[in-house]
Amino acid sequence: MKQVLLILMVFAFAKADFLQAQVHIDMVNAPMNPVGKYYTELPARNVKGSVYSVEYTRYSRDGKLEYQPSDYSLQEAITYKKPFIEMKNGLITVEKPSYSDSPSYYAYDGHKCLTREENDFWIHSYSYDSRKRLMETSSYRKEDKTTKTTKYTYELKGDMLWVTSTNTNSDGTTYFGTTKFKDGLKMELSWGSDPPIKYEYTFDHKGNWITQKVINPRYTTTITGRSIVYYDDVDKIVQDRKLKWEKLPFVEGSKVVIPYVMLHGRPVSKQWMGGRSINNGALFYIDVGQHYYLGDGGYVSNEDLGVKGIAPEVAAGSPYVMEHHDGYINFYDKGLSLKNFKSHYYGNSYYVLDSTLQRHYIVPDYKSENGFYNAELKIGDYMAYGQDPQKNEFQIIENGVLVEDYSNTSWKTIENGDFVFMKAGKPVYVLTGSAANTEKKLYLGRKYNGEKLFDFQPKKSESASSVETVPFNTNATIEVKKKGETTFQFYQNGLRIENPKYFIKAQGDMDLLFGYGLEDFVISDYKNIEMDGVTNARRIAKENEVIVMYKDGKAAYFYNNGVTIPPADYAVTVVQPGRWLVYLKKLNKTIFVDIENKNNSRFGASYTYSANDWIHKNEKGVNLFSNGEYIKLGTFKFYLDKAGNAHFYINEKPAYYLANYSSKTLGNYALAKHKGQTFKK
């Protein structure tokens, strides 16, 4: 299968009839009020306008976040690591994220002010004045059974709101603090006699802050930025059918740069960053209307800082799109690239199966030309079949794999005339709609469900030539008979089989390569075979494997589906003595290759892995690789948590995660993207 990496921009918003709940939030007059689970609400972030997203949180056009109570129990959520929400009177009372086993509990007063928060570590209690401003906080720590209280007073001085806090520890010690706010923004914070910490902001064209500068005289000055996208920005991109992008560092200080969407001269946060299409373009996705955009050359290099471009729209109207480029394909579901899928082509249509999630995609109008094609989605227990109604010809696809052996199979119909595929006399699949189909293309069928059967015998697939052939059998040896310089006939069990899907000369003009289904074979030293001579072909690669050809005892060439992979399309790194890590750029796959052949053969095979990020664990530590490139030791660190999981940081920011690192032996391991999970070192 041909697959490529996609790290995509996803513009999305959900339409639902869920309860629109919100705790009382008033940042201008009551900036100290706790908000609990509602910290991402626009008022809590002090953001105004028709906001599409702030960082990684998306909003409906009316600015609301939507909350849905879970339809399963809290215990089930804990057992199966699922998120959980329980609501009462339109407010969240119990909440648990998927990554945690510990729920949080919330209570409110009649004004929707939060009065209590409880988790495994703390119980916080809150009381308010008549203006719904926080007056007192009591915090009980369960570990040592201590309580801390804080009381607040408010005073408006000019255009600034001064909030004074009196903090009393469990031992009776007291300290004071003052926080100054302007229009809900924190401007200054002071504790006792310490010099005050000051805050400065820059604002976007809508008047919302996008950078916060914290000036702390006792420590360092820090600057925090945030990315805000507005619906008028999204609507303009959709209307113009294009967007702007620019190559900027992946993380601050990194030499690796990636394409970012640019709005008003600023990059959108990393969740919108461009990803790699098959031909190394930067691909972006907007879910409002389902639009895809392609910036040519966006991934030609990882170091071309500052390169800019315009990405025109390349597909619209469906969130499911297949990309085809010079024989390679990739598939995208709502902007995300499918990593492990199987596909099949028939007529003017394409079928793609994500077997992990049982998602079936049909591209109904495929012209085999380079470009992007909209697809249709079905979820569930389906199968696929190809049908040529004019010839009564069928192809059966089980779990994404074409059935090659039709021995011991037969056909029936159900009452409406749809065909039923039989194995060993038992009905297996109903080819839904096959009685009425008029086009040669792929369709979805289903499992047989006990319907009454009727006799029928359609024709099986035949070779296009006049010579009678049988389908290829993956379990039988292939014998080849030489009929010309590079002309051969193919047999199994004494029967002529259909011609292979490709047949080429290998480098060096000593061997011939050919393929059936998802398997590859070689005819060795073909020039030495006599005319009408017969020899066995050798199977050298199976599904999800790439052919490795050795020259003078060393790995020299790679083949995929009969096509040589040029050096420009792969990157080689020596990860251990005698062993290569090879990143196949257009396939977006990684293989591990023995540099020297161990069986005195010119051909071998290497399994393709979908992961792009790897470590090589050795006696000295680890080597880190990303997209086939070695990450220098000084630019990353990794930490082990108490469970033995490894957290990898690049430039002090979380990047990758590997579960059960401590128990793994020396070798190569794929990394998952870090999701910001907290841990104890």
mmCIF file with all atom_site columns, all heavy atoms in Angstrom, residues 364-378:
data_model
loop_
_atom_site.group_PDB
_atom_site.id
_atom_site.type_symbol
_atom_site.label_atom_id
_atom_site.label_alt_id
_atom_site.label_comp_id
_atom_site.label_asym_id
_atom_site.label_entity_id
_atom_site.label_seq_id
_atom_site.pdbx_PDB_ins_code
_atom_site.Cartn_x
_atom_site.Cartn_y
_atom_site.Cartn_z
_atom_site.occupancy
_atom_site.B_iso_or_equiv
_atom_site.pdbx_formal_charge
_atom_site.auth_seq_id
_atom_site.auth_comp_id
_atom_site.auth_asym_id
_atom_site.auth_atom_id
_atom_site.pdbx_PDB_model_num
ATOM 1   N N   . PRO A 1 364 ? -15.764 6.803  -6.006  1.00 0.00 ? 364 PRO A N   1
ATOM 2   C CA  . PRO A 1 364 ? -16.620 6.348  -7.102  1.00 0.00 ? 364 PRO A CA  1
ATOM 3   C C   . PRO A 1 364 ? -16.223 6.855  -8.477  1.00 0.00 ? 364 PRO A C   1
ATOM 4   O O   . PRO A 1 364 ? -16.689 6.318  -9.477  1.00 0.00 ? 364 PRO A O   1
ATOM 5   C CB  . PRO A 1 364 ? -18.000 6.884  -6.699  1.00 0.00 ? 364 PRO A CB  1
ATOM 6   C CG  . PRO A 1 364 ? -17.705 8.113  -5.911  1.00 0.00 ? 364 PRO A CG  1
ATOM 7   C CD  . PRO A 1 364 ? -16.415 7.841  -5.184  1.00 0.00 ? 364 PRO A CD  1
ATOM 8   N N   . ASP A 1 365 ? -15.381 7.886  -8.532  1.00 0.00 ? 365 ASP A N   1
ATOM 9   C CA  . ASP A 1 365 ? -15.072 8.506  -9.822  1.00 0.00 ? 365 ASP A CA  1
ATOM 10  C C   . ASP A 1 365 ? -13.570 8.694  -9.948  1.00 0.00 ? 365 ASP A C   1
ATOM 11  O O   . ASP A 1 365 ? -13.057 9.802  -9.905  1.00 0.00 ? 365 ASP A O   1
ATOM 12  C CB  . ASP A 1 365 ? -15.798 9.846  -9.956  1.00 0.00 ? 365 ASP A CB  1
ATOM 13  C CG  . ASP A 1 365 ? -15.656 10.445 -11.345 1.00 0.00 ? 365 ASP A CG  1
ATOM 14  O OD1 . ASP A 1 365 ? -15.421 9.672  -12.290 1.00 0.00 ? 365 ASP A OD1 1
ATOM 15  O OD2 . ASP A 1 365 ? -15.748 11.672 -11.486 1.00 0.00 ? 365 ASP A OD2 1
ATOM 16  N N   . TYR A 1 366 ? -12.848 7.593  -10.097 1.00 0.00 ? 366 TYR A N   1
ATOM 17  C CA  . TYR A 1 366 ? -11.388 7.608  -10.163 1.00 0.00 ? 366 TYR A CA  1
ATOM 18  C C   . TYR A 1 366 ? -10.944 7.473  -11.614 1.00 0.00 ? 366 TYR A C   1
ATOM 19  O O   . TYR A 1 366 ? -11.329 6.527  -12.305 1.00 0.00 ? 366 TYR A O   1
ATOM 20  C CB  . TYR A 1 366 ? -10.826 6.466  -9.316  1.00 0.00 ? 366 TYR A CB  1
ATOM 21  C CG  . TYR A 1 366 ? -9.336  6.279  -9.432  1.00 0.00 ? 366 TYR A CG  1
ATOM 22  C CD1 . TYR A 1 366 ? -8.466  7.253  -8.964  1.00 0.00 ? 366 TYR A CD1 1
ATOM 23  C CD2 . TYR A 1 366 ? -8.803  5.135  -10.016 1.00 0.00 ? 366 TYR A CD2 1
ATOM 24  C CE1 . TYR A 1 366 ? -7.098  7.082  -9.064  1.00 0.00 ? 366 TYR A CE1 1
ATOM 25  C CE2 . TYR A 1 366 ? -7.436  4.952  -10.115 1.00 0.00 ? 366 TYR A CE2 1
ATOM 26  C CZ  . TYR A 1 366 ? -6.590  5.930  -9.641  1.00 0.00 ? 366 TYR A CZ  1
ATOM 27  O OH  . TYR A 1 366 ? -5.237  5.767  -9.743  1.00 0.00 ? 366 TYR A OH  1
ATOM 28  N N   . LYS A 1 367 ? -10.125 8.417  -12.073 1.00 0.00 ? 367 LYS A N   1
ATOM 29  C CA  . LYS A 1 367 ? -9.711  8.446  -13.481 1.00 0.00 ? 367 LYS A CA  1
ATOM 30  C C   . LYS A 1 367 ? -8.251  8.033  -13.675 1.00 0.00 ? 367 LYS A C   1
ATOM 31  O O   . LYS A 1 367 ? -7.711  8.181  -14.761 1.00 0.00 ? 367 LYS A O   1
ATOM 32  C CB  . LYS A 1 367 ? -9.895  9.859  -14.048 1.00 0.00 ? 367 LYS A CB  1
ATOM 33  C CG  . LYS A 1 367 ? -11.329 10.358 -14.008 1.00 0.00 ? 367 LYS A CG  1
ATOM 34  C CD  . LYS A 1 367 ? -12.209 9.613  -14.988 1.00 0.00 ? 367 LYS A CD  1
ATOM 35  C CE  . LYS A 1 367 ? -13.546 10.297 -15.179 1.00 0.00 ? 367 LYS A CE  1
ATOM 36  N NZ  . LYS A 1 367 ? -14.312 10.469 -13.943 1.00 0.00 ? 367 LYS A NZ  1
ATOM 37  N N   . SER A 1 368 ? -7.590  7.575  -12.618 1.00 0.00 ? 368 SER A N   1
ATOM 38  C CA  . SER A 1 368 ? -6.173  7.177  -12.635 1.00 0.00 ? 368 SER A CA  1
ATOM 39  C C   . SER A 1 368 ? -5.250  8.322  -13.021 1.00 0.00 ? 368 SER A C   1
ATOM 40  O O   . SER A 1 368 ? -4.119  8.101  -13.437 1.00 0.00 ? 368 SER A O   1
ATOM 41  C CB  . SER A 1 368 ? -5.933  5.969  -13.557 1.00 0.00 ? 368 SER A CB  1
ATOM 42  O OG  . SER A 1 368 ? -6.037  6.324  -14.924 1.00 0.00 ? 368 SER A OG  1
ATOM 43  N N   . GLU A 1 369 ? -5.730  9.569  -12.920 1.00 0.00 ? 369 GLU A N   1
ATOM 44  C CA  . GLU A 1 369 ? -4.899  10.736 -13.174 1.00 0.00 ? 369 GLU A CA  1
ATOM 45  C C   . GLU A 1 369 ? -4.434  11.319 -11.841 1.00 0.00 ? 369 GLU A C   1
ATOM 46  O O   . GLU A 1 369 ? -5.068  11.134 -10.803 1.00 0.00 ? 369 GLU A O   1
ATOM 47  C CB  . GLU A 1 369 ? -5.696  11.792 -13.953 1.00 0.00 ? 369 GLU A CB  1
ATOM 48  C CG  . GLU A 1 369 ? -6.197  11.306 -15.311 1.00 0.00 ? 369 GLU A CG  1
ATOM 49  C CD  . GLU A 1 369 ? -7.140  12.305 -15.954 1.00 0.00 ? 369 GLU A CD  1
ATOM 50  O OE1 . GLU A 1 369 ? -7.462  13.309 -15.294 1.00 0.00 ? 369 GLU A OE1 1
ATOM 51  O OE2 . GLU A 1 369 ? -7.556  12.077 -17.103 1.00 0.00 ? 369 GLU A OE2 1
ATOM 52  N N   . ASN A 1 370 ? -3.303  12.037 -11.872 1.00 0.00 ? 370 ASN A N   1
ATOM 53  C CA  . ASN A 1 370 ? -2.822  12.682 -10.654 1.00 0.00 ? 370 ASN A CA  1
ATOM 54  C C   . ASN A 1 370 ? -3.851  13.680 -10.142 1.00 0.00 ? 370 ASN A C   1
ATOM 55  O O   . ASN A 1 370 ? -4.452  14.432 -10.916 1.00 0.00 ? 370 ASN A O   1
ATOM 56  C CB  . ASN A 1 370 ? -1.500  13.403 -10.906 1.00 0.00 ? 370 ASN A CB  1
ATOM 57  C CG  . ASN A 1 370 ? -0.346  12.441 -11.107 1.00 0.00 ? 370 ASN A CG  1
ATOM 58  O OD1 . ASN A 1 370 ? -0.464  11.251 -10.822 1.00 0.00 ? 370 ASN A OD1 1
ATOM 59  N ND2 . ASN A 1 370 ? 0.776   12.943 -11.579 1.00 0.00 ? 370 ASN A ND2 1
ATOM 60  N N   . GLY A 1 371 ? -4.055  13.686 -8.837  1.00 0.00 ? 371 GLY A N   1
ATOM 61  C CA  . GLY A 1 371 ? -5.001  14.626 -8.268  1.00 0.00 ? 371 GLY A CA  1
ATOM 62  C C   . GLY A 1 371 ? -5.636  14.086 -7.008  1.00 0.00 ? 371 GLY A C   1
ATOM 63  O O   . GLY A 1 371 ? -5.204  13.079 -6.445  1.00 0.00 ? 371 GLY A O   1
ATOM 64  N N   . PHE A 1 372 ? -6.694  14.768 -6.563  1.00 0.00 ? 372 PHE A N   1
ATOM 65  C CA  . PHE A 1 372 ? -7.409  14.413 -5.342  1.00 0.00 ? 372 PHE A CA  1
ATOM 66  C C   . PHE A 1 372 ? -8.834  14.024 -5.706  1.00 0.00 ? 372 PHE A C   1
ATOM 67  O O   . PHE A 1 372 ? -9.480  14.694 -6.510  1.00 0.00 ? 372 PHE A O   1
ATOM 68  C CB  . PHE A 1 372 ? -7.409  15.584 -4.359  1.00 0.00 ? 372 PHE A CB  1
ATOM 69  C CG  . PHE A 1 372 ? -6.044  15.902 -3.809  1.00 0.00 ? 372 PHE A CG  1
ATOM 70  C CD1 . PHE A 1 372 ? -5.144  16.651 -4.548  1.00 0.00 ? 372 PHE A CD1 1
ATOM 71  C CD2 . PHE A 1 372 ? -5.661  15.437 -2.567  1.00 0.00 ? 372 PHE A CD2 1
ATOM 72  C CE1 . PHE A 1 372 ? -3.882  16.949 -4.052  1.00 0.00 ? 372 PHE A CE1 1
ATOM 73  C CE2 . PHE A 1 372 ? -4.412  15.714 -2.053  1.00 0.00 ? 372 PHE A CE2 1
ATOM 74  C CZ  . PHE A 1 372 ? -3.518  16.475 -2.801  1.00 0.00 ? 372 PHE A CZ  1
ATOM 75  N N   . TYR A 1 373 ? -9.323  12.943 -5.088  1.00 0.00 ? 373 TYR A N   1
ATOM 76  C CA  . TYR A 1 373 ? -10.636 12.400 -5.414  1.00 0.00 ? 373 TYR A CA  1
ATOM 77  C C   . TYR A 1 373 ? -11.473 12.270 -4.147  1.00 0.00 ? 373 TYR A C   1
ATOM 78  O O   . TYR A 1 373 ? -11.013 11.710 -3.140  1.00 0.00 ? 373 TYR A O   1
ATOM 79  C CB  . TYR A 1 373 ? -10.498 11.028 -6.076  1.00 0.00 ? 373 TYR A CB  1
ATOM 80  C CG  . TYR A 1 373 ? -9.778  11.054 -7.404  1.00 0.00 ? 373 TYR A CG  1
ATOM 81  C CD1 . TYR A 1 373 ? -8.382  10.999 -7.466  1.00 0.00 ? 373 TYR A CD1 1
ATOM 82  C CD2 . TYR A 1 373 ? -10.487 11.146 -8.598  1.00 0.00 ? 373 TYR A CD2 1
ATOM 83  C CE1 . TYR A 1 373 ? -7.714  11.027 -8.683  1.00 0.00 ? 373 TYR A CE1 1
ATOM 84  C CE2 . TYR A 1 373 ? -9.828  11.174 -9.821  1.00 0.00 ? 373 TYR A CE2 1
ATOM 85  C CZ  . TYR A 1 373 ? -8.446  11.115 -9.858  1.00 0.00 ? 373 TYR A CZ  1
ATOM 86  O OH  . TYR A 1 373 ? -7.789  11.152 -11.064 1.00 0.00 ? 373 TYR A OH  1
ATOM 87  N N   . ASN A 1 374 ? -12.700 12.758 -4.206  1.00 0.00 ? 374 ASN A N   1
ATOM 88  C CA  . ASN A 1 374 ? -13.609 12.627 -3.078  1.00 0.00 ? 374 ASN A CA  1
ATOM 89  C C   . ASN A 1 374 ? -14.040 11.181 -2.903  1.00 0.00 ? 374 ASN A C   1
ATOM 90  O O   . ASN A 1 374 ? -14.180 10.428 -3.878  1.00 0.00 ? 374 ASN A O   1
ATOM 91  C CB  . ASN A 1 374 ? -14.839 13.507 -3.264  1.00 0.00 ? 374 ASN A CB  1
ATOM 92  C CG  . ASN A 1 374 ? -14.536 14.973 -3.046  1.00 0.00 ? 374 ASN A CG  1
ATOM 93  O OD1 . ASN A 1 374 ? -13.456 15.339 -2.609  1.00 0.00 ? 374 ASN A OD1 1
ATOM 94  N ND2 . ASN A 1 374 ? -15.503 15.830 -3.354  1.00 0.00 ? 374 ASN A ND2 1
ATOM 95  N N   . ALA A 1 375 ? -14.281 10.798 -1.656  1.00 0.00 ? 375 ALA A N   1
ATOM 96  C CA  . ALA A 1 375 ? -14.671 9.431  -1.342  1.00 0.00 ? 375 ALA A CA  1
ATOM 97  C C   . ALA A 1 375 ? -15.934 9.440  -0.493  1.00 0.00 ? 375 ALA A C   1
ATOM 98  O O   . ALA A 1 375 ? -16.338 10.462 0.060   1.00 0.00 ? 375 ALA A O   1
ATOM 99  C CB  . ALA A 1 375 ? -13.546 8.715  -0.613  1.00 0.00 ? 375 ALA A CB  1
ATOM 100 N N   . GLU A 1 376 ? -16.554 8.266  -0.412  1.00 0.00 ? 376 GLU A N   1
ATOM 101 C CA  . GLU A 1 376 ? -17.724 8.059  0.427   1.00 0.00 ? 376 GLU A CA  1
ATOM 102 C C   . GLU A 1 376 ? -17.354 7.070  1.525   1.00 0.00 ? 376 GLU A C   1
ATOM 103 O O   . GLU A 1 376 ? -16.535 6.174  1.309   1.00 0.00 ? 376 GLU A O   1
ATOM 104 C CB  . GLU A 1 376 ? -18.890 7.518  -0.412  1.00 0.00 ? 376 GLU A CB  1
ATOM 105 C CG  . GLU A 1 376 ? -19.286 8.445  -1.561  1.00 0.00 ? 376 GLU A CG  1
ATOM 106 C CD  . GLU A 1 376 ? -20.175 7.763  -2.588  1.00 0.00 ? 376 GLU A CD  1
ATOM 107 O OE1 . GLU A 1 376 ? -20.440 6.543  -2.418  1.00 0.00 ? 376 GLU A OE1 1
ATOM 108 O OE2 . GLU A 1 376 ? -20.577 8.424  -3.561  1.00 0.00 ? 376 GLU A OE2 1
ATOM 109 N N   . LEU A 1 377 ? -17.961 7.215  2.693   1.00 0.00 ? 377 LEU A N   1
ATOM 110 C CA  . LEU A 1 377 ? -17.596 6.402  3.854   1.00 0.00 ? 377 LEU A CA  1
ATOM 111 C C   . LEU A 1 377 ? -18.763 5.549  4.315   1.00 0.00 ? 377 LEU A C   1
ATOM 112 O O   . LEU A 1 377 ? -19.900 6.000  4.371   1.00 0.00 ? 377 LEU A O   1
ATOM 113 C CB  . LEU A 1 377 ? -17.154 7.307  5.010   1.00 0.00 ? 377 LEU A CB  1
ATOM 114 C CG  . LEU A 1 377 ? -16.996 6.639  6.384   1.00 0.00 ? 377 LEU A CG  1
ATOM 115 C CD1 . LEU A 1 377 ? -15.826 5.661  6.378   1.00 0.00 ? 377 LEU A CD1 1
ATOM 116 C CD2 . LEU A 1 377 ? -16.804 7.680  7.472   1.00 0.00 ? 377 LEU A CD2 1
ATOM 117 N N   . LYS A 1 378 ? -18.447 4.288  4.658   1.00 0.00 ? 378 LYS A N   1
ATOM 118 C CA  . LYS A 1 378 ? -19.370 3.402  5.358   1.00 0.00 ? 378 LYS A CA  1
ATOM 119 C C   . LYS A 1 378 ? -18.624 2.810  6.547   1.00 0.00 ? 378 LYS A C   1
ATOM 120 O O   . LYS A 1 378 ? -17.459 2.408  6.431   1.00 0.00 ? 378 LYS A O   1
ATOM 121 C CB  . LYS A 1 378 ? -19.852 2.268  4.450   1.00 0.00 ? 378 LYS A CB  1
ATOM 122 C CG  . LYS A 1 378 ? -20.821 2.692  3.364   1.00 0.00 ? 378 LYS A CG  1
ATOM 123 C CD  . LYS A 1 378 ? -22.220 2.871  3.918   1.00 0.00 ? 378 LYS A CD  1
ATOM 124 C CE  . LYS A 1 378 ? -23.238 3.078  2.790   1.00 0.00 ? 378 LYS A CE  1
ATOM 125 N NZ  . LYS A 1 378 ? -24.607 3.225  3.320   1.00 0.00 ? 378 LYS A NZ  1
#
